[in-house]
Amino acid sequence: MPLRPRTVRSRRSRTGRRLIRWSASTLAVLILGTAGAGYLYYQHLSGNLEKGERSSGDSKAERTAPNAAGQTPLNILLIGSDSRSSDANVALGGSRDNRDSPPLGDVQMLIHLSADRKSAAVVTIPRDTRVDIPECKDPETGETFPATNAIINESLGRGGAGCTLATWENLTGVYIDHWMTIDFAGVVSMADAIGGVEVCVKQNVWDRPLPGMKGGSGLKMTQGRKKVQGEQALQWLRTRHAWGSDLLRARAQHMYLNSMIRTLKEQSVFTDGGRLTRLAEAATESLAVSEEIGSPKKLYDLGMQLKTVPTDRITMTTMPNVQDPQDDNHVIPDSADAETMWKMLRDDIPFDKNGEKEKAKKDKGKEKQAVQEPSVPDAEIGVQVYNGTGSSDEAAVPRRARAIAQELVGAGFVRAAADSSGSLAQERTEVSYPSAELKGDAQRVAGALGIPLSSVKRSTEVSGVTLVVGADWREGTAYPEQSAPEAGDVPDTADALNGSDDTPCMEVYAPYRW
């Protein structure tokens, strides 16, 4: 009988094409984040950097409001591209046939640095997650790509990294400040330059071709802990079959990254000029960044913020997900658990419980918007209500817009009306307004239904006060009270790993033991 890995999604192997560049992208961020002493060298490194537009897609995300000290979180999207745009990338990627194909963003991680710069969270979205990709315009060619529903790794080829950023923003509601991308080239030298990272397996592992299962990374290790570098480090990052699934490969990557962070903090690499030079050179030669951080000074400032977070305040996670009912090769967000994580990011709630108990709850259930007086009485406020209760795994609830519009009319908003053009799909309920003078009107409508002020947004896409009843409000006429997550309330389905934990070991899928 043919052997297949334990996975919620079976797919043909794409050996040699994925995740090699992941090592370089994470190393690049770490190097830029700890190389403060080498600021002058960035004058040279800047010539290596490619730059691009921050966002090239249609996104509605807004920045998180500042905390009491006036600080805001920092969000950086890391994208690993499978581009075949050079001979080096083809050689490392393993497929000349795809040289001119649009690049895929197969590795995508969001780094969230808290407003107080004391904690960080990293969230991976699996490459085969089906999402809504917005309309995007390629900043280089001018080509416009229509909105579509597809797997998230296709977003990179539909307008570049800026389109992937917009896709993430629409999915999560999190404003993303910057992006960084990396391709295959330069990764081998990066893996060698780090000098070895400790990993662990519970059984002897050999990720090799088996009857009925092609491919394999070639990783061969005996059980226990061992430092890997160079080719073997790349094999670790590429291994999928031996762990049993792509989702478990993400766990192995997170283990590697946590170990690498600890290694870099423990050794004297950042006082070793020659070694630091090799690391920085290899990173920037294969790195592209959004244009607003495309200078040595801005990268230095960014790095100085990243380097301050202690390892026990770093949490690696994967977006909670379930099998896609439309295609068992794909996944979709696990609505409730994924929304908990997005809310924690939007509200800057730490993923760990290791912080000071100060005001660690950080205003978490408190409103962050000042209440503004409405411009007219309730009876004169026009409100358009849309049914957005559909989602990727559930159909829209019939007549929801009508039910909520009637509730508003009964509350004195007699100009409220339901839109009859059809249902939408929106995860969160929101009240939008087009201009500053209508902010108080929108807040008044939200307050009448119990919708939190944090869900009141300004938008240039609406002509008046607009209420979209989201998938988080599928029944009842009063908005359901949302329990605010606290520090450390990351769902179990996120497979969280703390940066200081050096005990995890990968379980090897039985056919790949030796």
Side-chain angles (χ1 to χ4, degrees):
M1 179 179 295
L3 292 169
R4 300 185 65 83
R6 296 174 301 180
T7 176
V8 296
R9 12 170 208 163
S10 59
R11 60 168 60 78
R12 60 188 176 87
S13 174
R14 296 173 65 181
T15 59
R17 294 190 54 188
R18 305 189 185 279
L19 305 172
I20 303 175
R21 63 277 183 196
W22 174 90
S23 174
S25 65
T26 50
L27 278 168
V29 171
L30 290 171
I31 290 164
L32 294 173
T34 48
Y39 169 63
L40 293 178
Y41 186 60
Y42 280 117
Q43 300 296 334
H44 162 73
L45 296 180
S46 63
N48 294 340
L49 287 169
E50 294 184 23
K51 309 171 190 62
E53 192 171 272
R54 188 194 74 84
S55 178
S56 56
D58 180 16
S59 172
K60 306 177 182 65
E62 296 183 355
R63 291 180 185 272
T64 299
N67 61 17
Q71 304 163 308
T72 55
L74 180 65
N75 295 298
I76 305 167
L77 182 63
L78 297 179
I79 306 168
S81 165
D82 74 346
S83 169
R84 304 295 195 279
S85 59
S86 70
D87 291 339
N89 284 330
V90 169
L92 289 169
S95 177
R96 296 181 183 276
D97 295 339
N98 296 317
R99 179 161 189 153
D100 297 322
S101 299
L104 298 174
D106 282 338
V107 179
Q108 300 182 19
M109 296 182 180
L110 180 69
I111 296 177
H112 172 85
L113 187 61
S114 65
D116 62 11
R117 304 303 190 256
K118 294 181 179 179
S119 68
V122 177
V123 180
T124 291
I125 290 184
R127 68 176 189 240
D128 287 336
T129 301
R130 181 167 60 84
V131 297
D132 290 326
I133 301 175
E135 178 181 293
C136 294
K137 183 176 182 180
D138 190 309
E140 295 184 5
T141 66
E143 181 179 1
T144 297
F145 296 86
T148 187
N149 183 262
I151 57 176
I152 198 167
N153 73 345
E154 294 182 12
S155 60
L156 188 63
R158 300 177 64 85
C163 186
T164 302
L165 180 144
T167 301
W168 270 73
E169 288 191 334
N170 289 339
L171 175 65
T172 66
V174 175
Y175 182 88
I176 300 174
D177 301 272
H178 316 298
W179 56 256
M180 293 183 176
T181 70
I182 204 81
D183 58 19
F184 290 116
V187 179
V188 173
S189 59
M190 292 289 295
D192 280 332
I194 194 65
V197 170
E198 187 177 80
V199 295
C200 181
V201 288
K202 292 183 178 179
Q203 300 88 16
N204 295 349
V205 59
W206 188 5
D207 191 50
R208 65 201 187 280
L210 293 176
M213 180 59 65
K214 297 180 180 179
S217 70
L219 178 69
K220 189 173 185 180
M221 290 175 56
T222 55
Q223 70 178 65
R225 299 188 176 280
K226 180 180 180 181
K227 276 195 171 185
V228 295
Q229 64 185 99
E231 182 180 358
Q232 193 172 39
L234 300 181
Q235 291 171 342
W236 176 274
L237 298 172
R238 290 176 50 216
T239 294
R240 172 170 68 93
H241 300 318
W243 310 142
S245 73
D246 282 338
L247 301 179
L248 290 172
R249 173 162 57 182
R251 179 189 297 176
Q253 295 165 2
H254 292 161
M255 288 182 184
Y256 181 95
L257 179 54
N258 276 337
S259 180
M260 182 171 60
I261 293 171
R262 293 192 300 269
T263 299
L264 290 170
K265 284 182 174 288
E266 290 168 0
Q267 60 188 216
S268 60
V269 60
F270 303 113
T271 59
D272 183 336
R275 192 173 180 192
L276 181 58
T277 295
R278 291 192 298 273
L279 284 167
E281 195 79 49
T284 56
E285 282 181 351
S286 53
L287 187 68
V289 300
S290 51
E291 57 193 2
E292 72 287 347
I293 55 170
S295 73
K297 176 64 167 66
K298 291 176 180 177
L299 284 174
Y300 170 77
D301 292 341
L302 173 63
M304 290 303 290
Q305 296 180 67
L306 290 170
K307 69 178 292 187
T308 61
V309 182
T311 55
D312 69 343
R313 301 299 313 279
I314 299 172
T315 308
M316 302 279 170
T317 62
T318 299
M319 178 196 74
N321 59 85
V322 295
Q323 191 173 45
D324 184 354
Q326 297 184 15
D327 187 336
D328 61 8
N329 290 321
H330 302 158
V331 298
I332 56 175
D334 183 346
S335 297
D337 285 356
E339 176 54 27
T340 294
M341 289 181 61
W342 307 149
K343 182 172 178 57
M344 293 179 74
L345 292 173
R346 292 193 301 268
D347 293 348
D348 197 27
I349 299 171
F351 277 27
D352 69 281
K353 294 184 178 180
N354 298 328
E356 300 174 4
K357 299 300 179 184
E358 16 124 38
K359 296 178 181 177
K361 297 182 180 179
K362 288 192 179 188
D363 302 331
K364 56 178 192 302
K366 299 179 182 178
E367 297 297 351
K368 295 183 178 181
Q369 287 193 40
V371 177
Q372 183 172 306
E373 287 295 321
S375 63
V376 293
D378 293 354
E380 298 180 30
I381 297 176
V383 188
Q384 194 74 12
V385 184
Y386 290 84
N387 182 359
T389 55
S391 67
S392 55
D393 54 348
E394 290 186 282
V397 178
R399 296 179 290 279
R400 279 300 284 160
R402 181 186 303 177
I404 300 305
Q406 290 175 346
E407 178 69 14
L408 282 170
V409 170
F413 297 87
V414 296
R415 294 184 59 197
D419 180 84
S420 58
S421 61
S423 61
L424 306 172
Q426 184 164 303
E427 193 68 36
R428 298 174 298 280
T429 296
E430 288 186 353
V431 182
S432 303
Y433 60 94
S435 54
E437 63 269 17
L438 294 181
K439 180 177 181 179
D441 297 6
Q443 290 178 329
R444 178 69 179 145
V445 170
L449 296 169
I451 299 170
L453 293 186
S454 58
S455 295
V456 177
K457 310 283 187 182
R458 184 171 179 174
S459 172
T460 58
E461 297 184 357
V462 298
S463 57
V465 176
T466 302
L467 166 61
V468 178
V469 183
D472 58 346
W473 189 12
R474 294 176 63 84
E475 59 184 11
T477 54
Y479 186 71
E481 184 176 349
Q482 306 290 311
S483 58
E486 298 184 7
D489 282 352
V490 177
D492 292 340
T493 51
D495 196 21
L497 289 175
N498 184 271
S500 63
D501 187 358
D502 61 1
T503 62
C505 246
M506 291 300 297
E507 182 86 24
V508 180
Y509 182 36
Y512 295 91
R513 300 174 187 174
W514 62 281

